[in-house]
């Protein structure tokens, strides 16, 4: 298991428009492995490559249904809306209300560079929007309604306990 340093908001790399992936090399596979390890260790539901300092269009997501690796993701369709709490590993201990589509259909390449599609509702739809935004240099804080607030300590502690299991 290898984790990478998560870049924190204010880091210039988080403002870059990421480059598409043309081929999956052993180097790319290692990056994806490390991104998954980093996401799980930080107890996140998603992570984009620029968050570990790599300006490539790769995101990893796990909303509790297993890992989803998306290379060059592109949102094709959205529907409905949901407003809820959103946080980001690049802004630890904070959260804010963000409105996102409730349904998203996206196209992406898998690690074999096969074209795939995914449809998601609720948290998965939110995660796909949040992570693909990172690839264009955007953070959820630009979309927050009201104030960004601290996440309760108790909540953070609970997450830590879950992680130990
Ligand atoms: Zn994020």
């Amino acid at each position: 298991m290898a984790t990478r340093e998560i870049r924190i908001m204010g880091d210039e790399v988080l403002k870059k428009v990421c480059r598409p992936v043309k081929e999956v090399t052993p180097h790319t596979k290692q990056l994806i492995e490390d991104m998954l390890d980093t996401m799980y260790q930080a107890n996140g539901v998603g992570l984009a490559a620029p968050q570990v300092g790599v300006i490539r269009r790769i995101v990893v997501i796990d909303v509790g249904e297993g890992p989803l690796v998306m290379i060059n993701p592109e949102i094709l369709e959205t529907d409905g809306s949901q407003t809820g709490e959103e946080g980001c590993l690049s802004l630890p201990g904070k959260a804010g209300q963000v409105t996102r589509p409730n349904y998203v259909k996206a196209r992406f390449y898998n690690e074999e560079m096969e074209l795939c599609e995914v449809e998601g509702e609720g948290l998965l739809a939110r995660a796909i929007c949040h992570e693909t935004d990172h690839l264009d240099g955007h953070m959820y804080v630009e979309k927050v309604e009201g104030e960004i607030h601290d996440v309760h300590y108790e909540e953070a502690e609970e997450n830590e306990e879950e992680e130990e299991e």
Side-chain angles (χ1 to χ4, degrees), residues 3-16 18 31 34-35 38-39 41-42 46-56 87-93 130-131 134 137-141:
T3 60
R4 300 196 186 192
E5 187 197 343
I6 297 177
R7 305 302 181 91
I8 302 302
M9 198 171 79
D11 192 315
E12 284 300 312
V13 77
L14 294 171
K15 295 179 188 161
K16 305 275 188 200
C18 298
L31 168 66
D34 292 355
M35 284 173 65
T38 305
M39 174 182 76
Q41 205 208 25
L47 188 74
Q51 292 182 277
V52 293
V54 179
I55 308 166
R56 286 283 172 195
C88 180
L89 295 177
S90 293
L91 192 54
H130 178 117
E131 300 311 330
H134 273 300
H138 296 296
M139 293 271 297
Y140 82 96
V141 298

